[in-house]
Each structure stands twice: as structure tokens, then as C-alpha cells.
Amino acid sequence: MPNNAITMSLSNIRLEVMQTIEKSMDGLLAKYIKPIEKNWQPSDLLPDSRDPGFHEEVREIQGLAQEMSYDLFAVLIGDTITEEALPTYEAWLMNIEGVDQFGANGWSRWVRAWTSEENRHGDLLNKYLYLSGRVDMREMEVSTQYLLTDGYDIQTGYDPYRNFIYTSFQELATNISHRRVATLAKKTGNTHLAKICGVIAADEARHAEAYQDFIKRIIQLDASELMLAFQDMMKKKIVMPAHFLRESGGGIGDLFSHFSDAAQRTRVYTTEDYIDILQALLKRWDIGNITGLTDSAEEARDFLMALPNRLLRISERMSTPELQYEFKWIAT
Ligand SMILES: [Fe+2]
Ligand SMILES: [Fe+2]
């Protein structure tokens, strides 16, 4: 069989798998997406500008924002920009095999429903930061527009298996980072921000459950191909959606390492978290006990099961840069 014929037949199986899972979409949407009118909206967590006490509430927000460490505030801004780049993620997901936005199939309903919930995250954080009095909003907006312009490449191609492995990983990572910001904000008495990040983290956890469920279903239908896709994603490493992050005057991706160094220093998101997520996924999908695989998928399974320890050994040798970077986002 010529190479492109092999690709073709593999992708036909993927399409069949997607169509099979799609039959359960009504149930999946009901389980993992909240009804819009019952769901929280950003304004539920922000002062109402029609309220006579509005200015007093803003002053309180500003006082508490000053208490947060520089690094933590930088991480919060970077997280917000990542959330604000949502159009990129929706466009990416709409393109994967089995998602048909013109036919408005079940999968495109999923992508839209997920996007519309996610959209609240950037809205809420952006408005909070605007009120905080600590952000150079123009600089932040320039970074956001750059990130949308630069796009991203998470190396999944059109493959739904690789994409859902990525989103399973990514939703767990955002759950961790929003949750940690909430905990750290609470420590400085900022219960308001803690609540904001807490509700966002809860959404991320629910979405992570959904994507892990999709993979679980794929395993039942096409375990060997899923295993190869998982191995491939981990070999390439899961890159963060903001890996092209930059600031005004800088080059594409220049800012990402400073952002992730700040996340390491504050312990909002660390290399150990990356390994923990991998371990959680291996356990959730029961990867170690999957049998009846092709030879290469068996090798992939063994590679995956050995990977956490390998990564741990590498991470022990890594150090976090001490020096705090001066972000243009933060008003001085
Ligand atoms: Fe989000
Ligand atoms: Fe998310």
C-alpha cells in the first residue's frame, strides 16, 4: 500500500471512531457542559458599575492587588492572555477530523459549547485586571493581539486522538495553575481573586473530565492507534498554548520562558506538575493494563509507562532562574 493510502485508511478509521462517539453527544453535552442561564457569568464575580458602592469596591480590589507578589501578578496576566487567545483554539479544534462546523454535527456543537464556556475565563480575568490598577492594559492587549496573530502549533495536525490527548493534558494544567493562583491570592487576603480563579479552575476540571472521557472511549474502539498518538505527543512534548507569547518590541515567543520561569518560581505551574499530569492520565486511562495491541503500540505503551520516571530524573537536574523579569505588562 502506498504511504498516502495507509494514511487514508487510518484516517477513515478515525472518522468512524469520531462518528461512533458522536452518537452519545447529547449525553456528553448534558454531562460536561452547564446550561447557559444557570452558569456563572463574569459579572457575577465583579463589582456592578451601576452600584453606588462601585468605587469603594474597586478601591478594595486595587488595595489587595498591591499585596500580591510581582511574579504572581505576572503569571496571572500571562494566564489571562492565554485565555484571551481562545479564537485560536476554537479555530484549531474546528479543523480536526470528524468535526464538521458546516454540517453542524455533534462535534462542532461540542467545540462551540466548550469555547463559549472558556470565553468567560478571559472576560472575567481581563476585567479584574483592568480594575486592579496594576496593569498596563495597552501592553497586555498588544501581547494578546500578537498571540492571536502569531497563532500556535501544538503539533497535533488534524488528528482527533492527538488533539484530545492535548486538551486532556491542557485542561488539567490550567486547572492546576488557576487553582494555585487562587490559593496564593487567598494567602494575601485576596479572597475575591481566589474566588475568581476558583470558579475558572472548576470549569477547567470539568472540561478535563470530558476530554479524558473522549479518550477513554477512543481506547475502547482503537487502542493501538491511540497508544501511538499518545507516545507521539509525549515525544514531541506538550507545548503550552502561549508558547509564542511576546511583548511590544519583542520577537515571537520571546516572553514565554520568562512567563514560565515566573510560574516555576511561584510554584503556580512547574515541571513536576507536568509529570504529575502525565501520571494522572496514565492512571485514568489504565494505559499499563491495555493489551491486545499491535507490536509498535505495545512498545509505545511501555515507553509511556516508563516516561514519568525518566522525566523525574531529568527534572531533578533542572534549576529555576532566580532573576525576576520586568514585564511591560505591569505598571510601575
Ligand atoms: Fe480556560
Ligand atoms: Fe480550558
Side-chain angles (χ1 to χ4, degrees):
M1 215 187 308
N3 244 345
N4 55 355
I6 294 171
T7 318
M8 200 56 206
S9 68
L10 283 181
S11 104
N12 284 345
I13 292 167
R14 275 163 161 74
L15 196 56
E16 271 176 41
V17 167
M18 286 292 275
Q19 284 163 350
T20 304
I21 300 172
E22 193 189 344
K23 292 195 184 104
S24 314
M25 193 49 75
D26 285 342
L28 290 167
L29 285 164
K31 188 170 180 189
Y32 296 116
I33 297 291
K34 287 205 170 166
I36 293 172
E37 293 182 29
K38 289 193 180 129
N39 213 343
W40 63 264
Q41 294 296 335
S43 58
D44 300 336
L45 293 127
L46 291 162
D48 187 337
S49 62
R50 297 168 301 182
D51 193 330
F54 175 72
H55 294 98
E56 193 43 48
E57 284 184 68
V58 172
R59 260 191 293 278
E60 201 174 305
I61 286 175
Q62 299 200 342
L64 287 165
Q66 290 298 334
E67 302 292 314
M68 290 167 62
S69 80
Y70 185 92
D71 267 343
L72 181 58
F73 217 74
V75 170
L76 178 61
I77 298 170
D79 285 349
T80 305
I81 295 168
T82 309
E83 294 283 356
E84 294 270 57
L86 199 75
T88 303
Y89 320 140
E90 181 177 25
W92 190 277
L93 281 172
M94 275 298 186
N95 251 330
I96 67 180
E97 183 115 39
V99 179
D100 176 8
Q101 65 173 319
F102 304 109
N105 74 348
W107 283 112
S108 71
R109 278 166 57 215
W110 166 263
V111 173
R112 289 203 176 100
W114 170 80
T115 301
S116 72
E117 285 203 341
E118 284 285 341
N119 188 58
R120 290 140 60 247
H121 302 171
D123 272 1
L124 174 54
L125 291 171
N126 185 308
K127 285 182 183 125
Y128 171 82
L129 290 174
Y130 171 65
L131 295 176
S132 77
R134 221 182 147 182
V135 183
D136 183 328
M137 289 304 290
R138 187 169 209 287
E139 284 294 344
M140 183 178 135
E141 287 154 359
V142 165
S143 280
T144 304
Q145 193 176 354
Y146 265 132
L147 190 58
L148 280 158
T149 303
D150 296 334
Y152 76 171
D153 182 5
I154 51 173
Q155 307 191 71
T156 56
Y158 299 108
D159 180 13
Y161 299 1
R162 283 173 175 77
N163 269 286
F164 294 158
I165 287 161
Y166 180 87
T167 46
S168 295
F169 200 102
Q170 197 49 48
E171 297 292 70
L172 286 173
T174 48
N175 167 261
I176 290 173
S177 58
H178 290 305
R179 202 153 31 83
R180 295 260 170 77
V181 175
T183 307
L184 292 166
K186 214 174 192 170
K187 276 192 183 154
T188 56
N190 198 340
T191 49
H192 183 198
L193 180 61
K195 179 118 196 273
I196 287 175
C197 294
V199 294
I200 296 173
D203 273 9
E204 307 292 11
R206 183 161 42 80
H207 297 159
E209 278 296 316
Y211 285 113
Q212 289 173 85
D213 186 340
F214 301 161
I215 293 290
K216 196 90 196 149
R217 287 160 194 257
I218 293 170
I219 290 171
Q220 280 160 13
L221 299 163
D222 196 9
S224 288
E225 275 299 310
L226 187 279
M227 203 66 80
L228 293 171
F230 195 4
Q231 178 191 36
D232 182 50
M233 286 307 292
M234 295 317 299
K235 277 190 171 174
K236 289 170 177 165
K237 296 192 188 74
I238 305 283
V239 294
M240 294 300 126
H243 63 284
F244 287 159
L245 190 67
R246 59 161 129 175
E247 61 187 351
S248 65
I252 184 168
D254 276 359
L255 207 54
F256 183 74
S257 65
H258 296 302
F259 168 50
S260 73
D261 287 349
Q264 287 269 357
R265 279 195 297 270
T266 51
R267 314 293 296 164
V268 166
Y269 185 75
T270 66
T271 315
E272 293 84 69
D273 291 322
Y274 184 96
I275 302 167
D276 284 349
I277 292 171
L278 170 60
Q279 255 160 342
L281 293 176
L282 292 171
K283 197 168 162 221
R284 169 70 193 268
W285 296 328
D286 203 15
I287 295 292
N289 291 317
I290 297 177
T291 51
L293 299 167
T294 61
D295 288 351
S296 55
E298 259 192 37
E299 274 172 40
R301 181 196 61 203
D302 297 343
F303 167 88
L304 287 163
M305 292 309 292
L307 189 57
N309 278 335
R310 246 180 69 197
L311 292 177
L312 265 176
R313 281 195 298 276
I314 297 167
S315 78
E316 279 159 12
R317 293 197 296 269
M318 278 161 55
S319 62
T320 312
E322 294 288 311
L323 198 65
Q324 204 167 262
Y325 177 78
E326 297 229 340
F327 293 87
K328 289 184 178 175
W329 306 326
I330 302 189
T332 45

